Amino acid sequence: MAIFQTGGGASRHRALRLQTLIRLRWLAVAGQSIAVVFVHVWLGFPLPLSAAALLIGALVWLNLFLTFRFPSAHRLKPGTAFALLLTDLAQVTALLFMTGGLANPFAALVCVPVIISSALQPKPHSIALAVIAIIGVTALAFSPYPLPWYPGTELKIPPVLTAGSWLAVVCTTGFAAFYTYRVSVEASQLADALAATELILEREKHLSQLDGLAAAAAHELGTPLGTISVVAREMERELGADPRYGEDVHLLRSQSERCRDILRRLTTLSSESEDHMRILPLSSLIEEVLAPHREFGIDIEVVERGDRANEPIGLRNAGILYGLGNLIENAVDYAESAVTVTVEHDREMVRITIEDDGPGFAPDILIRIGDPYVTKRQKEESAGGLGLGLFIAKTLLERSGARLAFENKAMGTGGALVRVRWPRDLMDAGRARQS
């Protein structure tokens, strides 16, 4: 039950699908076309219609080329995606430059390619695109073209308002890009951590099913091994006294009998003890979880508060075994000399409390426990971690219906304390199954 460790979490980069970019670009073409027609035809404002149509047409041509050149499922490499987003940024910047610059109320659209890049592209590509966008916004501030307005009337924008618009667009670009980047990072880390959780759960389930596989193997091997035994007995009867082969034949016979005994035990394990393997009393569950950690020089004490005759009897759950085992491993890793596991059960709840006498949780880590890739306790020199392994343990236990609480013990006593509790009916499935 080792703890997974990582230097910086999972990689967040996902290849951008070309079809997604094409659809966004068609949306941009439609929006730009409607805006130009509305301003020029409906409002009657003069604007460089030919240049605007040329820029929008270039976007249409590029979209058609990409649509027919590549399949819809094609995914872009980071460099190619950067080039296409840079093209979009240049197109919208040029269109704004010819229609009033920062005085144009659509100037904030400059930040859209940067936001898209921040969601999926590597950080250097996104930073480069953001820098280029800021340069483009600065160029818009010095646009010599007036904002399209009523004929015969020139709308003059004060320099202070232009500077304010520049600052607003730059801040919007930076804030939106950073927010998108952080959301993307956290979503990717969570997705990868959950995928790792599923893999761990499947592994634990496979391990718990090895007895069934062993029984199946014993059944399949029984027939050929029986044939070998018969042949070995015939050979022993014929060659038992032969000085050259007698000893080898005796050895062959004895080893075949030994194999049959082993297979017989495996078969008996599956046929006669299946319920024993599937049903696990609470005390047996605790002992099974603690057993691998008793040989590391740390005193592990179990305190039972409740009548063992009335303890919960549940079905073997790989998620609970792994989750509790990981919590115990963390406690043993950070304990100075002792770990105490308190087990309580009544008619309503089952509670397990794990305490150690180590340094406890750091205050800034305590509020983030359970997130992927939280990797430090107060004792930084320890080789243990509180990263992906603890996230997996917490997730698996919560899937079983448990609620967890992490805290430090009272001031002066030192050490961490983890409380795990379930409703009694979730841990008493074995008894319900028997009744």
Side-chain angles (χ1 to χ4, degrees):
M1 299 182 180
I3 299 175
F4 287 77
Q5 298 185 26
T6 179
S11 172
R12 72 178 184 95
H13 310 310
R14 302 288 187 270
L16 180 62
R17 197 160 71 104
L18 178 61
Q19 188 65 27
T20 302
L21 207 56
I22 289 175
R23 289 175 180 174
L24 290 173
R25 191 178 282 115
W26 282 128
L27 186 62
V29 167
Q32 292 174 7
S33 302
I34 291 172
V36 169
V37 171
F38 179 80
V39 170
H40 184 70
V41 177
W42 184 265
L43 297 178
F45 293 171
L47 53 76
L49 189 60
S50 299
L54 183 63
L55 286 171
I56 296 174
L59 210 57
V60 171
W61 177 86
L62 180 59
N63 242 17
L64 291 174
F65 170 77
L66 294 174
T67 300
F68 291 106
R69 175 65 178 80
F70 299 98
S72 59
H74 180 73
R75 294 192 177 272
L76 301 170
K77 295 181 179 179
T80 306
F82 174 79
L84 291 177
L85 291 172
L86 181 60
T87 302
D88 294 341
L89 177 61
Q91 189 268 350
V92 70
T93 303
L95 190 59
L96 290 169
F97 188 81
M98 295 185 302
T99 54
L102 284 181
N104 193 311
F106 293 101
L109 291 175
V110 171
C111 70
V112 172
V114 181
I115 294 174
I116 296 173
S117 178
S118 299
L120 295 170
Q121 289 285 89
K123 190 187 297 184
H125 292 71
S126 299
I127 293 176
L129 198 65
V131 171
I132 295 173
I134 293 174
I135 294 174
V137 172
T138 304
L140 293 179
F142 297 96
S143 171
Y145 298 98
L147 178 71
W149 202 245
Y150 294 101
T153 304
E154 183 179 356
L155 183 64
K156 293 186 177 180
I157 307 299
V160 174
L161 184 58
T162 300
S165 298
W166 179 89
L167 185 61
V169 174
V170 170
C171 290
T172 299
T173 301
F175 174 80
F178 179 75
Y179 178 80
T180 305
Y181 170 78
R182 287 305 310 166
V183 169
S184 176
V185 168
E186 292 175 5
S188 294
Q189 288 181 345
L190 185 60
D192 291 342
L194 289 175
T197 302
E198 294 296 338
L199 290 175
I200 287 293
L201 184 58
E202 286 301 316
R203 175 179 175 274
E204 293 298 314
K205 287 181 178 179
H206 289 164
L207 289 176
S208 66
Q209 294 168 355
L210 282 179
D211 63 308
L213 295 176
H219 178 74
E220 294 296 326
L221 291 173
T223 300
L225 189 57
T227 303
I228 294 173
S229 297
V230 171
V231 174
R233 281 197 299 268
E234 293 294 332
M235 293 178 63
E236 185 179 25
R237 189 162 44 245
E238 296 292 334
L239 302 174
D242 191 295
R244 292 177 299 171
Y245 305 110
E247 185 177 348
D248 294 335
V249 172
H250 286 304
L251 179 61
L252 177 62
R253 169 75 185 280
S254 64
Q255 292 303 308
S256 66
E257 291 296 334
R258 181 183 177 191
C259 289
R260 294 193 67 180
D261 290 340
I262 293 173
L263 293 183
R264 190 178 300 110
R265 286 199 298 271
L266 290 176
T267 305
T268 303
L269 175 64
S270 175
S271 61
E272 297 181 0
S273 305
E274 183 178 356
D275 288 341
H276 171 73
M277 297 297 294
R278 288 174 54 80
I279 295 177
L280 200 62
L282 181 60
S283 57
S284 299
L285 182 148
I286 296 299
E287 186 55 38
E288 185 170 332
V289 168
L290 295 178
H293 309 289
R294 291 190 180 278
E295 301 179 0
F296 294 96
I298 299 297
D299 180 31
I300 301 179
E301 180 185 4
V302 179
V303 178
E304 295 189 39
R305 296 176 181 173
D307 184 6
R308 180 173 288 196
N310 296 319
E311 69 177 337
I313 301 176
L315 298 178
R316 180 180 294 272
N317 186 312
I320 294 178
L321 290 170
Y322 179 88
L324 289 178
N326 192 280
L327 297 179
I328 295 295
E329 183 176 13
N330 271 305
V332 170
D333 283 345
Y334 287 95
E336 296 292 340
S337 60
V339 171
T340 303
V341 179
T342 304
V343 183
E344 304 175 73
H345 54 85
D346 53 36
R347 292 183 177 182
E348 301 296 330
M349 301 294 296
V350 176
R351 303 175 185 86
I352 297 176
T353 304
I354 303 170
E355 306 173 61
D356 64 63
D357 59 352
F361 300 109
D364 58 326
I365 296 300
L366 192 58
I367 61 175
R368 298 175 54 210
I369 286 180
D371 290 343
Y373 313 112
V374 179
T375 57
K376 291 181 181 178
R377 266 222 213 175
Q378 289 188 15
K379 188 170 63 174
E380 296 189 22
E381 68 273 14
S382 174
L386 289 176
L388 186 54
L390 186 58
F391 170 84
I392 292 173
K394 183 174 182 290
T395 302
L396 291 177
L397 289 171
E398 288 177 344
R399 285 186 181 182
S400 72
R403 291 190 176 184
L404 286 80
F406 299 85
E407 56 190 85
N408 288 324
K409 292 195 288 186
M411 187 68 66
T413 59
L417 186 148
V418 181
R419 304 181 191 272
V420 189
R421 60 189 180 95
W422 293 265
R424 169 80 182 223
D425 57 343
L426 294 181
M427 294 292 284
D428 215 9
R431 179 164 295 175
R433 179 170 174 262
Q434 290 177 325
S435 61

